[in-house]
Amino acid sequence: MAAAIAGAVAAALLLLCPAWASAAAVVGEGRRLHTLFSVECGDYFDWQAVGLLHSLRKAGQPGGVTRLLSCAEDQLPSYRGLRIGHTLQVPSFSRHPRTGDWYPAINKPAGVVHWLKHSPEADNVDWVVILDADQIIRGPIVPWELGAEKGKPFAAYYGYLKGCDNILAQLHTAHPEFCDKVGGILAMHIDDLRALAPLWLSKTEEVRQDKSHWSTNITGDIYGMGWISEMYGYAFGAAEVGLRHKINDDIMIYPGYIPRPGIEPLILHYGLPFKVGNWSFSKLEHHEDGIVYDCNRLFPPPPFPREVEMMESDPNVKRGLFLSIECINTLNEGLLLHHASVGCPKAQWSKYLSFLKSRRFSELTKPKYWKGQKVDSTITTQHVALSKANSEYPKIHTLFSTECSSYFDWQTVGLMHSFRLSGQPGNITRLLSCTDEDLKNYKGHDLAPTHYVPSMSRHPLTGDWYPAINKPAAVLHWLNHVQTDAEFIVVLDADMIMRGPITPWEYGAKLGHPVSTPYEYLIGCDNILAKIHTRNPSACDKVGGVIIMHIDDLRRFAILWLHKSEEVRADKAHYATNITGDIYASGWISEMYGYSFAAAEINLRHIIRRDIMIYPGYVPLPGAKYKVFHYGLRFGVGNWSFDKADWRNADVVNTCWAKFPEPPDPATIMQEGLDARERDLLSIECARALNKALYLHHKRRNCPRIGTIHSTSSNKIERIAHESSRNRKRGKFESMDVAREKTVERAAATIPPVHRSRRLARSSRMWIIAVWAVSIVVFLLVISMFFTDRRRSVSRSRVSRSLKAHI
C-alpha cells in the first residue's frame, strides 16, 4: 500500500516537473545573475577570498560566483590556493607586458575582459555584479532590486575621485560631463559590461601613464602615485560609452565609519584600518599571512557584543561598532569553515568559537535585504549628477508631463529611449498626473523615473475638463514636494524625440532669461488677450515646446503659470480663432497662453531659438542641428503618414511587438530638391526612433517571439488607429473622456493583455506550492504507515517469542 502511494506521488511529480521547470524559466528569464571578483596569487588575497565567498553564501547571493585569478607563470607552481572557490585563471598584468610598469590593480579590468572573451559563463548571464576581494557581504546584491537598468548601472559613491571635476576628466574622456565618482560595487547589464570593459582597461593604461597629473590635488590620491588609476579608468570608460550610474552612498560602508540612521548597509569594505575599544584590525598587517593554510588559526577576536553594548551610549555610534565586529567575526567564521573543509582537525573549544557557532551570532548576521533609503511620501530627495566636469557648468534636471493612459505611455517610451541616447546631462522625471481611480489599473509605473501628481484634468473647483492644465500643476507640485540641487530645469512635452543634449550653456540661458522655441501662432500676445491677462503685455513672448529655465525663475513663475492658465481657460468670451490663434476656438491652448502671460508678469524675457526644435514634416533651416523632434502634427513621406492622434487609444506598449507603420526606406526618397529631401529624412528618423524605442521596450519585457501574436495584435491595434483617424476626419468628435472609454473598452476586448503572462506565472507558482504541500502530506502519510507496520511486526515478533518461551 505504502509503495503504491509513493509510486503515485513520484509519477505525479515527474509529470509536473516539466511545467514546473518551464514556469521557473519564464520567471527567471532575463535575470540570470553572476558575481565576479578579482584577486592575485598570494596568501594576502586568499584569506580575503575565503571571507568574501563565505559571506556571499551566507547572504544568499543568487547566481554563480567566479574568482578571477591573475597569476604570472612563475607563480603558479608554488601557489596553494587554486581550489578556493570557482576560479578562472587570468594572465597577470601586474607587470605591464608593453611598458613594464608594475601596477597590479590593472588586473581587475584585464580579468573582466578575459572573462568576457574566454568564459562560457559570460554567454549565459544577463546581469553582472563586480565586487572587491576585501569585502564582506551582508545580504543579496540583486541589480534590478537596487534600481540598475540597462544603460544605468548601480554603483557606490567614491567622492574622493576629484579628477572627475577637473582637467583629468577633460584630458581622458570626450564626455567629462558623464564622469561619475563611483566604485566599490558595480552592478550592470552584461551588454553594458561588454561595451565598457575594453575601455575600462585602455583608460586605466592611459591614466596610469599620465604621470604629470598624478598629484593629490588633481586625482585625490593621498600618495600621489597613480595608485587609483584603475578607478579613473572605470569612470572615464563609463563616461565614454555614455553609462549613467544610479549612485548610492549607503549600500557600502567602511568598518569604523558610522552608518546613517535607519540605513542597513549590505557591504562592509575593510580597505582601511578600524578599531573597537583597544582592539584593532588592518588588512595591510596581514599582507604575507598564510592564515588560510594554518589549521584553526583565526584573526584576533574582537570584543563580544555585550562588551560593545557597554562601550558606547550613542545608538548610532554603537551600530557602527557592531558592524566592525560583524566584519571580522564573519571573516573568522569563513576561515573556520574553510579549515574544516580541507580536513583540519576539530578546533579546541573556546569561548570565542562557541560564540561563532551560537544562535546569537547567527541571528546577528542573518541576511539583510536592501530597502533603499526611506523616502517620505511627500518629500523626495534627488541627487543629480554633475552636468559638466568643470564647476562652471550648472546642474540640469529634465521634466515632462503625462497622464495615466496608453496614449502617453507610448510617448513616454519614445522620449525615454531618446533621452538615454541623447547624452542629456542630469536626470529626468516624468510628472504623472492621475486620479486615484486611474492609478488602480495603471500598468506603466516602470516606464520612467516618476513623480506622481494629483490629476487636475477635471478642475476641482469649476469641474472644467482640461487635461492640458496638468502640465503647470505638475511642475508646481514637483517644486513643492521635491528637493533638487539642479540649477536649470529643462521642460519638454511627452510627444518629443531628443536628438542631442539641451543645455543652458549652449543656448545662453541664465537667471531672468529662459530659453525657448517660437510658437508664432500665439497671436494673443499682440492683441486684447495679453492686455486683459497681464500687466506687462509688451513682455509677452510667443514661445513654448522646449523650455530651459533657471530654478529660481521657475520657483517664482510656476504658480503664476497655473493661475494664468486657469484665468485664460475661464475667459470663454475670447476663445475666438482671430484672438487666440486656436483653430478649434475651444480654449485648448489656454495653458500655452498661461505660460506666456505668467512669464510677462514677472518680466522673464526669453532667448528664442529656432534651431532647437522642429516639427517633422517641416522644412529645416539651413545648417540647423535640431535637438528635438516635436511630432504634435500629422506628417508624411509619400503615401506614408503618421498622426499621433490616430493612436490615442491603441495600447502599443502593453501589446507584445506592437509598433507603428514603418516609414519608407531613406534610399527610396526621390531627390526632388535638397530641402524636401532633408524634410523627409528627418520625418523618417523620427518615426524610426519611435519604433526602435517600442522594439527595445518589448524586448526588455521579454515578449515571446511568436509571429501570430505579433501580426494579430499589431493588426488589431492598427485597425483601432485607422478607425480613430476616420472618425476624426468625418468630424465625429465626442467628448474626450467618453471617446477614450469607448475605444479603450473595444481595445481591451480585442487585444490580449501582455500582463496575462504574469498572471499565468503567478498561478503556476501557486500550483507548484499546492503540489509541494500535497507531496509533503503524502510523504508524512507513507512514513506514518511504514512505522505503524513496523510497530505491528515488532509486536507480533514479541508475542511469537513469548509463546515460544512458554512452550
Side-chain angles (χ1 to χ4, degrees), residues 280-393:
S280 66
F281 180 85
S282 173
K283 69 172 188 176
L284 294 177
E285 294 176 358
H286 301 274
H287 204 279
E288 305 295 332
D289 196 336
I291 194 169
V292 168
Y293 308 104
D294 293 348
C295 278
N296 299 320
R297 183 165 71 85
L298 306 178
F299 293 115
F304 288 96
R306 65 173 179 271
E307 295 171 338
V308 174
E309 285 281 359
M310 295 183 290
M311 284 181 187
E312 181 59 54
S313 58
D314 187 310
N316 224 39
V317 175
K318 190 184 296 183
R319 282 182 65 229
L321 296 177
F322 270 108
L323 289 175
S324 294
I325 65 171
E326 179 182 333
C327 176
I328 200 68
N329 284 335
T330 305
L331 254 176
N332 276 339
E333 183 184 35
L335 287 168
L336 196 65
L337 293 173
H338 173 77
H339 291 154
S341 71
V342 297
C344 286
K346 187 176 180 180
Q348 290 184 351
W349 183 91
S350 70
K351 187 178 178 182
Y352 182 59
L353 288 186
S354 180
F355 168 71
L356 291 182
K357 296 177 181 180
S358 69
R359 180 179 297 179
R360 164 81 166 145
F361 178 66
S362 178
E363 188 66 25
L364 287 172
T365 57
K366 65 183 180 182
K368 311 299 186 292
Y369 297 94
W370 182 247
K371 298 176 183 176
Q373 295 189 34
K374 293 183 179 179
V375 180
D376 188 88
S377 59
T378 57
I379 303 292
T380 305
T381 302
Q382 296 179 346
H383 299 285
V384 188
L386 282 175
S387 55
K388 277 281 183 181
N390 196 315
S391 60
E392 71 182 72
Y393 293 110

Side-chain angles (χ1 to χ4, degrees), residues 656-658 702-714:
C656 275
W657 306 116
N702 297 315
C703 280
R705 291 190 171 276
I706 303 175
T708 54
I709 290 178
H710 181 193
S711 59
T712 305
S713 301
S714 296

Side-chain angles (χ1 to χ4, degrees), residues 507-676:
Y507 296 110
K510 55 187 177 182
L511 186 64
H513 293 277
V515 168
S516 193
T517 52
Y519 272 10
E520 300 292 356
Y521 56 83
L522 296 180
I523 59 176
C525 275
D526 300 328
N527 58 39
I528 191 173
L529 199 67
K531 294 175 183 177
I532 291 173
H533 293 291
T534 176
R535 294 170 297 177
N536 194 12
S538 62
C540 183
D541 292 327
K542 303 173 188 176
V543 294
V546 175
I547 301 162
I548 312 172
M549 186 178 290
H550 195 281
I551 188 69
D552 292 343
D553 288 335
L554 190 62
R555 293 189 194 282
R556 292 189 301 135
F557 163 77
I559 193 165
L560 278 172
W561 184 8
L562 175 59
H563 288 168
K564 290 295 179 182
S565 297
E566 294 173 310
E567 187 180 298
V568 177
R569 177 68 180 171
D571 184 11
K572 295 184 180 181
H574 294 96
Y575 273 9
T577 302
N578 65 322
I579 294 177
T580 63
D582 180 2
I583 59 173
Y584 302 110
S586 61
W588 201 250
I589 59 176
S590 299
E591 173 271 317
M592 300 180 190
Y593 278 115
Y595 177 91
S596 292
F597 294 159
E601 198 74 4
I602 59 174
N603 203 33
L604 293 180
R605 303 314 305 263
H606 289 80
I607 299 168
I608 303 175
R609 296 292 298 252
R610 298 179 180 274
D611 58 346
I612 298 177
M613 183 187 81
I614 187 171
Y615 287 93
Y618 280 34
V619 175
L621 295 172
K625 296 181 179 178
Y626 295 104
K627 300 297 180 69
V628 173
F629 287 131
H630 191 179
Y631 54 91
L633 305 174
R634 178 180 290 273
F635 63 98
V637 178
N639 295 325
W640 172 91
S641 67
F642 179 83
D643 188 339
K644 71 170 187 175
D646 293 344
W647 302 86
R648 180 174 292 279
N649 300 299
D651 193 358
V652 294
V653 168
N654 293 311
T655 304
C656 275
W657 306 116
K659 64 175 183 176
F660 304 116
E662 287 289 349
D665 189 324
T668 65
I669 302 300
M670 302 297 291
Q671 295 191 20
E672 300 171 355
L674 185 59
D675 288 347

Side-chain angles (χ1 to χ4, degrees), residues 611-798:
D611 58 346
I612 298 177
M613 183 187 81
I614 187 171
Y615 287 93
Y618 280 34
V619 175
L621 295 172
K625 296 181 179 178
Y626 295 104
K627 300 297 180 69
V628 173
F629 287 131
H630 191 179
Y631 54 91
L633 305 174
R634 178 180 290 273
F635 63 98
V637 178
N639 295 325
W640 172 91
S641 67
F642 179 83
D643 188 339
K644 71 170 187 175
D646 293 344
W647 302 86
R648 180 174 292 279
N649 300 299
D651 193 358
V652 294
V653 168
N654 293 311
T655 304
C656 275
W657 306 116
K659 64 175 183 176
F660 304 116
E662 287 289 349
D665 189 324
T668 65
I669 302 300
M670 302 297 291
Q671 295 191 20
E672 300 171 355
L674 185 59
D675 288 347
R677 178 173 172 77
E678 287 297 318
R679 175 201 64 202
D680 290 348
L681 289 176
L682 290 174
S683 297
I684 291 169
E685 180 186 338
C686 178
R688 282 187 163 186
L690 277 170
N691 274 341
K692 179 68 172 178
L694 284 170
Y695 168 77
L696 293 174
H697 167 77
H698 295 314
K699 190 176 180 182
R700 281 194 297 271
R701 290 281 177 94
N702 297 315
C703 280
R705 291 190 171 276
I706 303 175
T708 54
I709 290 178
H710 181 193
S711 59
T712 305
S713 301
S714 296
N715 290 340
K716 289 175 181 175
I717 287 178
E718 288 185 25
R719 194 157 59 244
I720 291 170
H722 293 323
E723 287 175 16
S724 175
S725 178
R726 283 199 301 272
N727 288 342
R728 290 191 309 106
K729 289 177 181 176
R730 292 172 187 167
K732 294 182 179 178
F733 283 100
E734 302 177 52
S735 67
M736 192 171 298
D737 48 341
V738 175
R740 180 180 300 157
E741 286 179 14
K742 288 183 176 180
T743 317
V744 167
E745 287 172 6
R746 186 164 70 255
T750 57
I751 301 172
V754 73
H755 293 278
R756 184 176 302 164
S757 62
R758 297 180 184 176
R759 291 198 297 271
L760 289 173
R762 284 197 293 271
S763 64
S764 298
R765 288 196 291 271
M766 293 300 294
W767 177 245
I768 290 167
I769 291 168
V771 169
W772 266 105
V774 171
S775 301
I776 290 168
V777 170
V778 173
F779 175 75
L780 292 173
L781 181 61
V782 171
I783 292 296
S784 174
M785 293 173 65
F786 173 77
F787 281 110
T788 300
D789 289 345
R790 187 172 182 83
R791 281 197 298 272
R792 286 174 181 168
S793 65
V794 169
S795 177
R796 284 196 295 269
S797 84
R798 285 176 178 170

